[in-house]
Amino acid sequence: MLVLLSLHLALALIAPLLVRWWGRRACYLLALAPAAVFGWAVAITGTVRDGGTVAETYGWVRQLHLDLALRVTTLSWLMVLLVGGIGALVLVYCARYFAADDSGLGRFAATFVGFAGAMFGLVVSDNLVLLYVFWELTTVCSYLLIGQNPEKWASRRAAAQALVITSVGGLAMLIGLIMLGQRAGTYRISELADAPLPTDGYLATLVVLLLVGALTKSAIFPVSFWLPAAMAAPTPVSAYLHAAAMVKAGVYLVALFAPLFADDQPWRLLVYVAGAVTMLLGGWAALRQTDLKLLLAYGTVSQLGLLFILTGAGTRDAELAGITMLLAHALFKSALFLVVGIVDHSAGTRELPALSGLWRRMPLVFAAAVLAVASMAGLPPLLGFVGKEAVFEAFRHDPLLLTVLVAGATLTVAYSLRFLWGAFATKAALPATPTEPVAVAMLAPVGLLAVAGLALGVLAGPVDDLLVPYAGQFGPGKYHLALWHGPGLAAGLTLVALAGGGLLFALRHRMARLVERMRAPFDGGTAYERVTYWLDRVAVEVTGATQRGSLPQYLGTILVVLVVVPGGALLIGRPWPERIALWHSPVQLVVAVVLATAAVLTVRARRRLTAMVLVGVTGYGTAMMFILYGAPDLALTQFLVETVSIVMFVLVLRRLPANFSARPLRASRWLRAGIGAAVGVVMAGLALVAAGGREAVPISVDFAELAVSYGHGRNIVNVTLVDIRAWDTMGEIAVLVVAATGVASLIFQRPRAGPGPRRPNLGRRGPSRPERRRERVWLRAGPTLRDRRRSIVFEVVTRLIFHTIVLFSLYLVFSGHNAPGGGFSGGLVVGLALAVRYLAGGRYELDEAAPVDAGLVLGTGLFVSVGAGALALLAGAEVLQSAVLDLYLPVIGEVHLVTSLFFDIGVYLIVVGLVLDILRSLGAEVDRQIEAGEGPETELEPLRERELT
């Protein structure tokens, strides 16, 4: 099963490329993924018929009770057959349905195959959390498929509507799944039957939450409206998602949990009421539709209501009828949707009043439609008839519900005849509708699905043998599927439904006004629009009242809440440690006083540059604290980060006025100072409580031994970053790459590879000999600066120390595993070296120092770090696990190399790329914008550069 899931993923990833190469013919190849699923399901038929299961389990995130537990039972086997078989046929159909030059076909094919894989994963999941993961994957894929044509407003609206409704239901279901797993003590679905389940209000709550997820997915009342709206999707999407796959997910969920909850309240009440209302309203609405696709959509809603009742009833005969109708419905409804696609494709319309005489022009399509409609109406010898008889027999002892079911069956017959007449009949007032030839690739899937409904009806006995193992979970029973049980109540009710439906159709013209007037008391779509409108309105009002565009207001609100809520909890609870040591040496007190003084002076500073310097003092004071506590590695990093931050602040301050504005006024300034002091006190209190409230032994006590035995290094901090907690570091460097990209996208208005073409006198060969005699050039781009801005001393010092700094950064990288340093510190050192080159020689000197795209450096660093983890996996170890390589090099001698060094090199490159990107964004690019007159100069603005020719 995991191989089949991987096959879907692989084909989904390469689908756009295949479509680009082969056009729509690539759909034939992509159909192999669901076809393989169908073939695999056929291969295990014997095991399922005997009541056996097929299971696979792969470890994943055990702390979250999440493993790749896959299991196939009778119910899931049936769904696998439908998902795989119908999915393959629909993809074959797509090969001729879409135009050869359809630009969105690659995206559609990838999403369709991905949806098929997600649906397969959903029905074979044996883990509650894994089931939810695949559940939401189908939601996302369906959103993309429904909105396949983003240029159409109806497609965008329908896609968003389906996404919102099914996502809200999915979140409710997730809560129910977690409640179930926690109370049962297991997240394995196969183990829930033997687990202790609650019998109080807890059970009622989780049952309601599970059913909310099911009814939103299957378009059950009161959210049925999203399914007809989703007909804005291409017809193949409707044939697969809205007939065979996605909308069946909710029915599958009900059938899956019915053995556990069917006898509990409020399960049966909700299932019966919601299903009955959906069945009747959907069937009645189908009678007034003039669009063939909408007619089938409302008919699907009605049939889903029926399936909801059957699979949720919790009796042996009802469940047997339910999964029989599930199979029959998937076959005839997907076939009919594909027929609508053929009619629309060939005749250019799917409106009933505009179609006439198609039974003569498309006899094979008409024959397939007759078979599918007959199964939908419940005519023998189709599978729909077998299932309908089983339905009536299952509820023969419940007169009220049986009456509702007969009414629903009557409506089904009526709209089935309306579909067949509207699509193919010859209408006296209309000329024959011209059509185009029907491709074999479109006709064959329809024919196969229609014939399958006929064949399975004739083979009702073998079908019963395959489906009875699921129904047997609900107790013993005597009823079995058969093509004919003889005269009886079920046969009589079938005749009543057929006669009633035929009468409704015959009186369609007389009843047209009644059908049009008798509508639901409210339209779900209109209610949804009103609710979303008022939600948007409230959001706008709340945003307008709270988001005033004032950063001090936002920050003040956050800080006041921090002081009131956690601070109030500290005052009320008083969870203070018994003994508090304010300092361990007088030097720490001195550093703390300096920190506090710098913070207070920062608040009172009027000049931005002064405030920036004082903030730097607080950062350097923190680094001094690290030194006093014996953490040189942290101190080194803090010093470097603070220095780089100061450089970046200076670059930004060039674009801002030198002084803060006159505001805040004196009163508000004291208020802000008070808030800041209160926040400091609260944070200190929280730190004390957190440190004194520890009960368990810290995991860090083992890091010293693990650093040597597991990470093969003596620098605990570095080994923690690149080995013990390497996954955390991986996430952090990914954030760095995203942040760098964001900064560049905000600043740059053109590619960010560098400042542009170099000046003519900055060629690689340098100045000519006469120029060298006249002037010594210490930096290549130095002559591009104004004389007033140039500092020869600065240029000389930069020339002398730049390469030494770079070598020092490499030393930090290679020695960081056993001494203070590492990739992060080394990258910051190189970043400072590049900043010195920029400050000394300007933006062109930065390009001379690093003539490379910053994005390329970032990408290379991320690739190296990820590659280091992947290599460990390929070598049979865990991802990012370190190994030791002892090498002997002829000149150097013995080399003791730890593979985590390569991960650290990736970190080094990412930090270098980040600093380079910021220097080019806030430095070189801002210089260019100022030169072009795109922004104001301030008194911190350096003098403009000049060109030497």
Side-chain angles (χ1 to χ4, degrees):
M1 287 179 273
L2 185 61
V3 173
L4 293 173
L5 287 171
S6 302
L7 176 62
H8 280 83
L9 176 61
L11 287 180
L13 291 175
I14 65 173
L17 186 61
L18 295 177
V19 171
R20 185 181 303 174
W21 288 346
W22 299 332
R24 58 185 183 178
R25 290 176 298 175
C27 292
Y28 296 129
L29 178 61
L30 297 175
L32 292 178
V37 168
F38 179 80
W40 176 79
V42 171
I44 63 171
T45 300
T47 302
V48 175
R49 183 181 59 244
D50 297 336
T53 61
V54 179
E56 297 177 8
T57 303
Y58 306 91
W60 193 7
V61 187
R62 300 193 183 279
Q63 294 86 344
L64 298 178
H65 306 284
L66 183 57
D67 49 11
L68 294 177
L70 310 174
R71 185 169 179 264
V72 174
T73 61
T74 301
L75 176 64
S76 53
W77 170 81
L78 177 61
M79 289 296 297
V80 168
L81 282 175
L82 297 178
V83 169
I86 297 179
L89 292 177
V90 172
L91 275 172
V92 171
Y93 181 93
C94 290
R96 296 305 300 270
Y97 176 84
F98 289 98
D101 58 348
D102 193 326
S103 60
L105 182 56
R107 181 179 67 253
F108 169 85
T111 309
F112 191 97
V113 175
F115 174 86
M119 195 67 202
F120 172 63
L122 188 156
V123 298
V124 300
S125 295
D126 192 35
N127 182 286
L128 295 176
V129 179
L130 186 63
L131 183 146
Y132 173 76
V133 170
F134 284 116
W135 183 282
E136 288 305 305
L137 285 176
T138 61
T139 297
V140 174
C141 290
S142 68
Y143 166 75
L144 297 174
L145 290 170
I146 295 171
Q148 169 65 16
N149 190 352
E151 289 82 13
K152 292 184 177 180
W153 176 82
S155 296
R156 299 195 306 271
R157 175 180 174 274
Q161 191 177 84
L163 178 68
V164 170
I165 293 172
T166 54
S167 296
V168 170
L171 290 174
M173 186 191 74
L174 175 62
I175 298 173
L177 292 175
I178 294 175
M179 292 175 65
L180 176 59
Q182 290 297 112
R183 181 60 67 93
T186 177
Y187 279 76
R188 286 290 186 89
I189 299 173
S190 57
E191 298 174 357
L192 292 176
D194 301 323
L197 296 177
T199 58
D200 50 8
Y202 189 95
L203 175 64
T205 302
L206 74 87
V207 163
V208 171
L209 292 171
L210 292 177
L211 288 179
V212 167
L215 66 87
T216 54
K217 198 76 163 183
S218 292
I220 303 298
F221 178 86
V223 293
S224 306
F225 56 88
W226 75 258
L227 181 56
M231 294 301 106
T235 300
V237 173
S238 302
Y240 191 48
L241 273 68
H242 307 138
M246 177 182 168
V247 294
K248 293 294 195 306
V251 175
Y252 169 77
L253 188 76
V254 172
L256 183 66
F257 289 120
L260 298 175
F261 305 121
D263 294 329
D264 300 311
Q265 295 296 336
W267 175 279
R268 195 168 272 141
L269 176 64
L270 290 176
V271 166
Y272 283 175
V273 172
V277 173
T278 304
M279 178 178 61
L280 296 178
L281 292 181
W284 186 259
L287 296 178
R288 61 172 175 267
Q289 303 305 316
T290 60
D291 185 316
L292 288 175
K293 201 172 178 184
L294 281 178
L295 190 156
L296 290 180
Y298 281 101
T300 300
V301 169
S302 178
Q303 294 285 316
L304 289 171
L306 172 64
L307 292 174
F308 216 66
I309 295 173
L310 298 176
T311 55
T315 63
R316 187 257 185 200
D317 292 347
E319 297 297 333
L320 179 59
I323 58 173
T324 304
M325 286 302 300
L326 187 149
L327 172 59
H329 178 265
L331 294 176
F332 66 67
K333 194 55 67 70
S334 57
L336 290 175
F337 269 116
L338 295 181
V339 166
V340 172
I342 292 176
V343 171
D344 193 14
H345 199 269
S346 300
T349 181
R350 56 177 191 247
E351 288 290 328
L352 273 67
L355 295 170
S356 178
L358 292 189
W359 71 278
R360 293 180 181 274
R361 294 181 175 273
M362 296 188 295
L364 295 179
V365 177
F366 174 65
V370 168
L371 289 176
V373 167
S375 183
M376 182 165 64
L379 289 174
L382 280 301
L383 183 62
F385 167 76
V386 175
K388 195 67 64 70
E389 291 244 312
V391 170
F392 293 148
E393 187 66 31
F395 291 92
R396 64 181 304 157
H397 301 296
D398 190 338
L400 177 60
L401 194 55
L402 185 60
T403 303
V404 173
L405 293 174
V406 172
T410 302
L411 293 173
T412 301
V413 173
Y415 65 69
S416 298
L417 293 174
R418 179 177 175 82
F419 174 87
L420 197 62
W421 166 82
F424 295 99
T426 300
K427 303 177 180 68
L430 290 177
T433 305
T435 61
E436 297 180 359
V438 180
V440 175
M442 297 180 70
L443 180 60
V446 178
L448 287 174
L449 292 169
V451 171
L454 174 62
L456 293 178
V458 175
L459 299 173
V463 172
D464 179 81
D465 294 337
L466 291 170
L467 301 184
V468 158
Y470 167 74
Q473 301 177 83
F474 299 87
K478 297 180 179 180
Y479 185 84
H480 291 276
L481 300 178
L483 184 58
W484 177 245
H485 287 277
L489 178 63
L493 293 178
T494 299
L495 292 176
V496 170
L498 291 174
L503 183 62
L504 283 177
F505 174 72
L507 299 177
R508 62 188 180 278
H509 297 299
R510 296 182 181 181
M511 296 186 61
R513 184 173 298 179
L514 176 63
V515 171
E516 188 64 30
R517 287 182 177 179
M518 289 186 61
R519 293 175 175 266
F522 65 91
D523 180 17
T526 303
Y528 170 84
E529 290 179 357
R530 289 181 179 177
V531 170
T532 53
Y533 168 79
W534 282 110
L535 284 176
D536 290 342
R537 187 71 257 168
V538 171
V540 169
E541 295 298 331
V542 172
T543 302
T546 58
Q547 304 293 312
R548 312 296 293 184
S550 171
L551 182 60
Q553 179 182 341
Y554 302 157
L555 187 59
T557 302
I558 295 171
L559 296 179
V560 168
V561 172
L562 173 65
V563 171
V564 172
V565 179
L570 288 176
L571 290 176
I572 296 173
R574 299 179 182 275
W576 316 113
E578 296 180 359
R579 184 171 177 273
I580 299 176
L582 297 179
W583 59 81
H584 294 91
S585 72
V587 180
Q588 295 173 353
L589 177 61
V590 173
V591 175
V593 171
V594 172
L595 279 168
T597 304
V600 172
L601 292 177
T602 300
V603 176
R604 297 182 57 83
R606 295 297 185 90
R607 295 177 60 85
R608 299 179 190 272
L609 186 61
T610 304
M612 182 268 297
V613 172
L614 291 170
V615 169
V617 171
T618 63
Y620 289 127
T622 304
M624 184 61 66
M625 281 291 190
F626 290 148
I627 292 177
L628 295 176
Y629 275 99
D633 214 325
L634 295 179
L636 174 63
T637 303
Q638 178 67 27
F639 274 118
L640 294 172
V641 168
E642 201 61 44
T643 306
V644 172
S645 300
I646 290 176
V647 173
M648 302 311 163
F649 269 120
V650 171
L651 296 178
V652 173
L653 291 180
R654 297 180 302 163
R655 301 286 270 175
L656 299 174
N659 295 326
F660 292 108
S661 63
R663 295 180 180 274
L665 302 176
R666 183 179 299 275
S668 61
R669 189 180 302 126
W670 281 107
L671 174 63
R672 297 178 190 211
I675 293 175
V679 170
V681 171
V682 170
M683 292 306 299
L686 291 174
L688 285 172
V689 171
R694 184 187 296 276
E695 297 180 358
V697 178
I699 61 172
S700 59
V701 298
D702 298 325
F703 279 14
E705 189 275 330
L706 288 174
V708 178
S709 62
Y710 188 77
H712 312 288
R714 293 188 297 273
N715 183 351
I716 301 175
V717 174
N718 182 263
V719 174
T720 300
L721 292 176
V722 301
D723 199 313
I724 301 175
R725 303 292 296 272
W727 275 113
D728 292 349
T729 307
M730 181 68 75
E732 291 162 2
I733 62 177
V735 171
L736 284 178
V737 173
V738 174
T741 304
V743 170
S745 64
L746 290 173
I747 301 298
F748 279 100
Q749 300 175 357
R750 57 179 186 166
R752 63 184 186 181
R758 295 185 180 88
R759 302 305 171 98
N761 62 334
L762 297 181
R764 290 295 177 192
R765 299 178 61 184
S768 62
R769 289 184 179 275
E771 289 175 339
R772 288 200 191 102
R773 296 191 188 100
R774 293 195 302 268
E775 178 182 3
R776 178 67 177 181
V777 178
W778 294 97
L779 297 177
R780 284 183 175 274
T784 64
L785 299 176
R786 289 175 177 267
D787 291 338
R788 292 177 57 188
R789 183 179 173 185
R790 290 187 66 183
S791 171
I792 300 301
V793 175
F794 195 9
E795 291 183 16
V796 172
V797 173
T798 301
R799 176 73 174 270
L800 293 176
I801 68 172
F802 176 78
H803 299 90
T804 304
I805 296 176
V806 173
L807 288 175
F808 177 64
S809 73
L810 295 176
Y811 167 78
L812 291 176
V813 174
F814 284 93
S815 67
H817 215 58
N818 295 285
F824 190 78
S825 299
L828 289 174
V829 170
V830 173
L832 288 173
L834 293 174
V836 170
R837 286 285 292 267
Y838 164 72
L839 295 174
R843 63 190 180 108
Y844 292 102
E845 184 60 31
L846 177 62
D847 190 45
E848 291 293 325
V852 64
D853 184 359
L856 179 62
V857 178
L858 287 165
T860 302
L862 189 60
F863 176 79
V864 171
S865 295
V866 174
L871 287 177
L873 185 64
L874 294 176
E878 295 183 5
V879 180
L880 297 172
Q881 182 176 341
S882 298
V884 178
L885 300 176
D886 291 315
L887 307 174
Y888 179 81
L889 300 179
V891 178
I892 300 176
E894 294 184 359
V895 176
H896 183 75
L897 181 65
V898 182
T899 54
S900 59
L901 172 65
F902 300 107
F903 182 83
D904 222 7
I905 291 174
V907 175
Y908 174 84
L909 292 174
I910 288 174
V911 175
V912 172
L914 173 66
V915 176
L916 180 60
D917 214 359
I918 293 177
L919 286 174
R920 286 201 173 129
S921 302
L922 302 178
E925 180 66 11
V926 171
D927 288 345
R928 188 198 63 79
Q929 293 176 8
I930 293 172
E931 290 177 359
E934 300 176 10
E937 295 187 22
T938 71
E939 62 179 84
L940 294 177
E941 183 68 61
L943 296 174
R944 295 192 177 188
E945 302 169 3
R946 65 182 176 88
E947 298 181 11
L948 297 180
T949 58

